[in-house]
Amino acid sequence: MKRALEKACPSCGRRVALEATACACGARWVASQPTGPEFRVPRVGMPVAAVSVIALTILIEAILLAHEAYVSPFVWAEAIGSTLVYLARFFVPVLLVAAYLAYRGSRQAQRAPDRYGGGRLARAGLVAALLLLAVHAGVFLTRAPRLIENRRIRQEAATRANLYRLAWAIEAYRQQYGTYPRRLIDLQEMDPHLKPAVDAWGREFVYSTISGDVAAAAPMPFQRYQLVSKGPDGILGTADDIVLRDDVLLSGGGSGTR
């Protein structure tokens, strides 16, 4: 505390009172000491951080896109589009953060230019982030129909796989008990660890069976059991139903192929 109320003589280094104007060595102060720094360096943390993130994003995406174009020279446009859609889930949040940092940096530079700098850098970073976001959004919109179709195909394939898995369990039940199960839950008598199968839309399959005598007398193709997925619309009896009769897969009640 005492040293805070003293100052050092610039000539001999002796400690004297803070308000003293002369020292015992004969030196004198001709002006008061400055209370703070004469020049403040403006802060540019947010603009620099935003531009750094954007530059790193551009570099990573450029490397990945160049690799995709190199390994797929004949379908490079398709490969680049698919890669951009895939990368969007990772880099869009990063670009949003970078845009926010650039916006904050620009606002700070406008409101307090003596304390914050890098206004032009922040505005350039904001424009770059918005352009990259627009590119990702444009690619996603152009590929959205294909993405939806691919998702539908994957869901139907997963549903067919579950249907065949259930059909195998039903046949195993018949071989063990001599008859088809009345309900799908009866399959757990054969295997208590068997989980109820659902289609790709999270709905349970509709199961029905008829007696062996009726099935033997029925015209081809005969039916001993039937498994039905209600399809994407969740309504039974519509064109998007996926039907499995015995080991024959049908779609919407149409003709099936083995």
Side-chain angles (χ1 to χ4, degrees):
M1 185 66 181
K2 182 178 179 181
R3 294 182 64 87
L5 300 177
E6 295 179 346
K7 59 184 177 181
C9 174
S11 178
C12 65
R14 184 179 300 174
R15 307 292 299 182
V16 297
L18 186 63
E19 64 275 5
T21 59
C23 180
C25 68
R28 293 179 176 274
W29 279 267
V30 296
S32 60
Q33 291 182 329
T35 57
E38 296 182 1
F39 178 75
R40 293 181 180 272
V41 178
R43 300 177 182 178
V44 292
M46 285 192 179
V48 170
V51 172
S52 300
V53 170
I54 294 170
L56 184 61
T57 300
I58 293 175
L59 178 62
I60 295 175
E61 289 193 345
I63 293 174
L64 295 176
L65 294 178
H67 176 266
E68 290 297 325
Y70 176 77
V71 299
S72 306
F74 299 106
V75 289
W76 62 269
E78 179 73 16
I80 288 178
S82 300
T83 304
L84 280 175
V85 172
Y86 176 77
L87 294 177
R89 70 186 69 182
F90 304 105
F91 288 115
V92 165
V94 174
L95 290 173
L96 289 174
V97 173
Y100 173 75
L101 292 176
Y103 173 77
R104 285 292 305 274
S106 176
R107 295 290 294 174
Q108 288 178 345
Q110 290 178 355
R111 292 177 179 177
D114 56 328
R115 296 181 57 192
Y116 300 98
R120 293 183 179 179
L121 184 64
R123 288 189 289 272
L126 180 59
V127 171
L130 293 178
L131 285 176
L132 288 175
L133 288 172
V135 169
H136 280 287
V139 172
F140 178 80
L141 290 177
T142 56
R143 295 185 60 83
R146 182 171 298 181
L147 292 174
I148 295 173
E149 179 65 16
N150 291 341
R151 184 171 183 267
R152 184 189 64 81
I153 293 174
R154 290 195 300 269
Q155 289 175 330
E156 290 183 355
T159 299
R160 294 190 186 100
N162 284 343
L163 282 171
Y164 282 122
R165 183 169 66 87
L166 265 182
W168 177 87
I170 290 172
E171 289 297 334
Y173 183 96
R174 184 186 65 83
Q175 293 178 6
Q176 181 171 344
Y177 295 100
T179 183
Y180 287 104
R182 297 178 58 187
R183 301 170 302 172
L184 289 179
I185 197 173
D186 295 339
L187 295 175
Q188 294 183 348
E189 297 179 3
M190 178 183 63
D191 184 2
H193 301 289
L194 183 66
K195 297 181 180 179
V198 296
D199 59 18
W201 299 276
R203 307 185 188 97
E204 294 184 358
F205 293 108
V206 179
Y207 171 73
S208 58
T209 182
I210 59 177
S211 64
D213 295 338
V214 175
M220 294 296 291
F222 66 87
Q223 175 186 351
R224 295 184 182 273
Y225 69 89
Q226 176 175 274
L227 286 168
V228 182
S229 166
K230 298 178 182 179
D233 62 1
I235 302 175
L236 188 63
T238 55
D240 63 354
D241 291 356
I242 302 175
V243 183
L244 184 72
R245 292 177 182 169
D246 294 346
D247 60 344
V248 180
L249 186 65
L250 309 175
S251 296
S255 60
T257 57
R258 288 185 182 270

